[in-house]
Amino acid sequence: MDPSVRQRVRKLTARYLPSDRDALAIVLLLGLLLFPLSGLMPDPSPDIQTLDRIFETGELPFITLNSPTTYYLYREAPLGFEYQLAKAFADYLGVRLSIIVARTPEEMFAMLKAGHGAVAGASLPIRKRKEHTDIAYSDPYMTATYHPITRRGNVAWKRLDTSEFPATVVIPENAPFDHQLRELMKTRPSLKIAVRKDCTVESLIQKVSSGEIDITIASLNVAHINRRYYPNLMVGDPIGEADFISWAVHPYARMLRFRINSFIRRINENKVFDDIYKHYFSDIHSVDYVDLIKYHQRLNSRFPQYAATVREAAEQAGFDWRLSAAQMYQESHFNPNARSHAGAYGLMQLTRNTARIYGVTNILSPEENIRAGVRHLKKLYDFFNNAKGENRLYIALAAYNVGQGHMLDARNLAREKGLDPNKWESIKITLPLLARPEYYQHAIYGYCRGIEPVNYVKQILIYYDILKHQVITIDQPPPDPLFSLEQTD
């Protein structure tokens, strides 16, 4: 998250929540003061999901929407920025998380008011509270700006800043940026808006890329992520002011709202929010248009002839084949005859020494090269077994690029600096330092161009994300609004 945005959010949460102890005291004091009036206030419906009910059932029912930036399934595993936040909140409360999927924001609010869920979260702007007076909002945890999106070379795009705007802006129903659009139309009366029912922001972005429509609007994170998938897109300047983003609860769930606010403040203090945010939105603003165009083209023209071998080799090693394909493109751009100045050959850029270790007889053989490369990554992955999850994978990828020895130096340097050597975020800091004399002169394996493996992993993850996007499961819930996917540990 941008440091200035993070600071604004933290100031807001600090204003509302000076401390857990002080805030709890305020809540209790207000309860005592208002106790004589309690007879005048209606009792909460037994269907309302309160904090007490969450603890009684041991489950946090969280309502959200399906999208690549909120909640989705990949290889039957739940993922998404809002999902990870909700999972962290459920862990904070010590309960299980149950995901409930709504079709639209309006249905999400309706489900919340009917007691089908306790918390609703899908990048909701606080501004929406004006339309939903019977919904209570948490303190904000981030901000969002909204930007027009069009294709490269669109003539209408050049006249965006003029009062005469010839194109029609197509948006989904109940878009979160309707306030900004209304303000924009005051100064640009010729601006035409078309509302599409049963369309998501992501589907409209795809239509812009294919030329079916000229322009749509999306939040900056959504816009930049989709530029990876559709590199012919351009993102314009923000329309209007930024919105603060928060979760929604039923107005009667006062203690639940208090605990959410405490949670938001805590994850900002302990950097958990930063970790989740970086996982989904790190580097999305950096897009090499020409490189991505070539990648998409070569996925169709070059990769199919190697796909079966990659799938089989990756499955044997326990890797997602899409990761292996992304690494192969970073190594050779799917060129089986690729040769580097450092003496690496083939699709997976094997050195002759590495090829001998894995019994390769023809280093330029696509099948032999792919199998040996995947096995080598698996060997590195097994070696760095103190790291867990994705940290282990990223460290292994970096070691594939720069060598196991330099990776050990980077981990030792991380320890010296009080960083966790098993976290990729730590290694991203220490690897580039090994190019400086004051560090590499004391390293066992000496000088290293440490920024290269950092960029290497970054590019692989971009290519991997593009491949994953082609198969992400965006489930639509059945007519029964109580559709739920439970996630338990």
Side-chain angles (χ1 to χ4, degrees):
M1 177 183 275
D2 184 86
S4 63
V5 172
R6 187 187 306 117
Q7 186 176 15
R8 293 170 65 193
V9 173
R10 286 177 178 169
K11 284 182 178 179
L12 273 174
T13 55
R15 182 196 310 166
Y16 297 136
L17 288 169
S19 72
D20 286 355
R21 183 180 300 174
D22 292 344
L24 181 59
I26 293 171
V27 170
L28 293 175
L29 178 60
L30 288 174
L32 291 174
L33 292 174
L34 295 175
F35 181 76
L37 301 176
S38 60
L40 302 177
M41 299 179 65
D43 292 331
S45 165
D47 293 331
I48 300 306
Q49 297 276 357
T50 62
L51 185 63
D52 286 343
R53 185 169 177 181
I54 291 172
F55 286 136
E56 288 172 4
T57 61
E59 180 179 272
L60 170 66
F62 188 89
I63 309 170
T64 190
L65 304 173
N66 275 134
S67 84
T69 53
T70 53
Y71 162 78
Y72 60 92
L73 297 177
Y74 178 66
R75 303 178 79 190
E76 300 183 359
L79 296 170
F81 174 70
E82 291 288 349
Y83 168 79
Q84 293 295 152
L85 282 181
K87 184 67 171 64
F89 182 52
D91 293 343
Y92 173 76
L93 295 179
V95 298
R96 301 184 307 275
L97 174 64
S98 174
I99 294 293
I100 302 170
V101 180
R103 295 179 180 84
T104 65
E106 294 305 313
E107 183 178 78
M108 186 166 58
F109 287 124
M111 294 168 73
L112 183 67
K113 288 182 281 188
H116 296 323
V119 183
S123 298
L124 297 168
I126 292 181
R127 192 183 306 281
K128 283 288 184 182
R129 72 171 64 192
K130 296 178 181 179
E131 303 169 15
H132 298 277
T133 56
D134 50 354
I135 294 292
Y137 285 80
S138 72
D139 294 338
Y141 54 88
M142 68 175 185
T143 61
T145 55
Y146 303 100
H147 300 248
I149 303 172
T150 192
R151 296 179 307 285
R152 290 179 177 272
N154 188 348
V155 176
W157 184 260
K158 298 178 180 179
R159 305 180 63 183
L160 184 62
D161 295 328
T162 68
S163 58
E164 295 298 326
F165 189 65
T168 298
V169 179
V170 183
I171 63 172
E173 192 175 25
N174 300 312
F177 41 79
D178 52 2
H179 169 80
Q180 287 89 338
L181 271 181
R182 285 195 297 268
E183 292 298 313
L184 188 64
M185 292 177 71
K186 291 179 181 179
T187 58
R188 296 175 186 170
S190 64
L191 186 63
K192 299 176 182 178
I193 306 295
V195 178
R196 290 278 183 93
K197 294 184 178 181
D198 302 321
C199 275
T200 64
V201 171
E202 285 76 15
S203 66
L204 291 178
I205 291 174
Q206 184 179 20
K207 292 180 185 297
V208 170
S209 176
S210 65
E212 294 181 53
I213 62 176
D214 284 322
I215 294 176
T216 190
I217 294 174
S219 68
L220 188 60
N221 283 341
V222 171
H224 280 309
I225 284 179
N226 277 276
R227 278 205 305 169
R228 291 181 178 178
Y229 314 142
Y230 312 108
N232 63 332
L233 297 178
M234 293 177 60
V235 180
D237 294 332
I239 58 168
E241 59 188 14
D243 271 332
F244 286 106
I245 304 300
S246 62
W247 283 348
V249 298
H250 195 281
Y252 284 123
R254 299 179 186 88
M255 287 306 299
L256 175 58
R257 183 185 178 195
F258 163 73
R259 291 298 291 269
I260 292 174
N261 290 342
S262 298
F263 165 73
I264 290 171
R265 186 171 61 83
R266 177 169 295 186
I267 62 174
N268 273 282
E269 291 173 349
N270 63 16
K271 307 298 184 183
V272 168
F273 180 86
D274 286 353
D275 290 343
I276 296 174
Y277 188 90
K278 288 176 181 178
H279 178 82
Y280 287 97
F281 303 125
S282 177
D283 301 321
I284 62 172
H285 307 292
S286 175
V287 175
D288 185 334
Y289 165 72
V290 175
D291 176 65
L292 290 186
I293 286 287
K294 289 182 179 178
Y295 178 56
H296 282 271
Q297 291 173 343
R298 289 169 179 172
L299 280 174
N300 294 320
S301 64
R302 294 184 179 182
F303 178 67
Q305 60 188 311
Y306 312 120
T309 302
V310 171
R311 287 174 184 266
E312 185 179 339
E315 182 179 354
Q316 290 175 352
F319 294 134
D320 182 356
W321 69 264
R322 296 170 187 85
L323 173 73
S324 297
Q327 183 187 14
M328 189 167 78
Y329 185 79
Q330 175 62 21
E331 289 288 352
S332 64
H333 286 199
F334 301 145
N335 178 5
N337 299 312
R339 303 187 183 195
S340 76
H341 66 277
Y345 300 84
L347 289 167
M348 296 295 284
Q349 288 292 278
L350 301 179
T351 64
R352 293 198 177 277
N353 183 56
T354 301
R356 279 193 296 270
I357 292 173
Y358 296 102
V360 173
T361 57
N362 179 1
I363 200 169
L364 293 180
S365 163
E367 184 172 343
E368 288 191 79
N369 200 286
I370 291 169
R371 293 185 185 282
V374 174
R375 287 176 62 193
H376 186 51
L377 179 65
K378 180 62 164 63
K379 179 181 177 181
L380 293 167
Y381 183 82
D382 291 341
F383 179 81
F384 293 105
N385 58 2
N386 287 329
K388 303 301 178 185
E390 291 174 337
N391 291 293
R392 184 178 179 184
L393 178 60
Y394 300 163
I395 289 172
L397 285 169
Y400 189 104
N401 174 257
V402 78
Q404 189 171 305
H406 290 309
M407 188 58 59
L408 293 174
D409 282 343
R411 284 158 58 84
N412 288 334
L413 186 55
R415 292 186 187 94
E416 292 175 11
K417 290 188 168 296
L419 303 173
D420 188 344
N422 296 313
K423 296 288 188 182
W424 175 241
E425 288 298 320
S426 303
I427 303 304
K428 283 171 62 177
I429 294 172
T430 57
L431 264 174
L433 297 179
L434 294 175
R436 293 164 54 177
E438 62 266 36
Y439 293 103
Y440 72 70
Q441 288 176 356
H442 302 285
I444 297 174
Y445 294 90
Y447 173 81
C448 168
R449 291 192 299 271
I451 194 62
E452 290 186 4
V454 172
N455 290 333
Y456 175 84
V457 174
K458 170 185 169 182
Q459 284 301 122
I460 289 174
L461 295 181
I462 291 174
Y463 300 143
Y464 183 34
D465 180 60
I466 291 169
L467 282 170
K468 287 194 298 182
H469 179 259
Q470 297 178 0
V471 293
I472 284 175
T473 303
I474 305 295
D475 288 334
Q476 291 299 324
D480 181 2
L482 288 178
F483 168 74
S484 170
L485 172 71
E486 254 185 38
Q487 171 67 22
T488 58
D489 290 328

